Amino acid sequence: MKRYFIIYEGIVQGVGFRWKLMNIANRYGLTGYAMNLDNGNVEVQVQGNSVDEFLKDSIQGDRFVKVYNYSIKELKVVDDERSFKIR
């Protein structure tokens, strides 16, 4: 099991990106959160056995979402986290 801290840059606010991330996380049974930042980026912490698949799916754009860049850092796993939330 892994936990990642990810910052997404691009057209990622006001376009349903956090909801997209929650749907991807739920598909893979992952936990964590997605949160808008004041600078227009989105912060995510995601945890589980399929975080690499989550990352791959999350950077795929659509007609509204455009991820131009992201940074990622591995974190210590958080015990007893049960869901993926939008903050």
Side-chain angles (χ1 to χ4, degrees):
M1 181 177 313
K2 295 179 186 176
R3 183 177 189 90
Y4 288 158
F5 174 83
I6 309 167
I7 300 290
Y8 294 94
E9 299 174 32
I11 302 171
V12 292
Q13 287 192 16
V15 290
F17 186 56
R18 291 177 299 153
W19 294 98
K20 173 183 174 175
L21 296 175
M22 185 173 71
N23 288 332
I24 296 168
N26 289 338
R27 183 177 345 131
Y28 290 115
L30 305 175
T31 62
Y33 69 85
M35 175 176 75
N36 284 340
L37 299 176
D38 291 340
N39 64 0
N41 295 337
V42 171
E43 172 184 316
V44 172
Q45 287 194 27
V46 63
Q47 172 174 296
N49 292 321
S50 300
V51 292
D52 294 319
E53 290 84 352
F54 172 91
L55 180 61
K56 179 183 166 198
D57 290 356
S58 71
I59 61 174
Q60 298 300 315
D62 59 31
R63 56 184 249 215
F64 301 111
V65 174
K66 303 284 187 254
V67 176
Y68 297 139
N69 194 23
Y70 66 91
S71 61
I72 186 167
K73 179 172 117 178
E74 193 162 354
L75 300 175
K76 182 179 174 187
V77 170
V78 174
D79 294 328
D80 298 325
E81 190 174 61
R82 302 205 185 287
S83 65
F84 190 92
K85 299 181 191 252
I86 294 174
R87 295 185 177 172

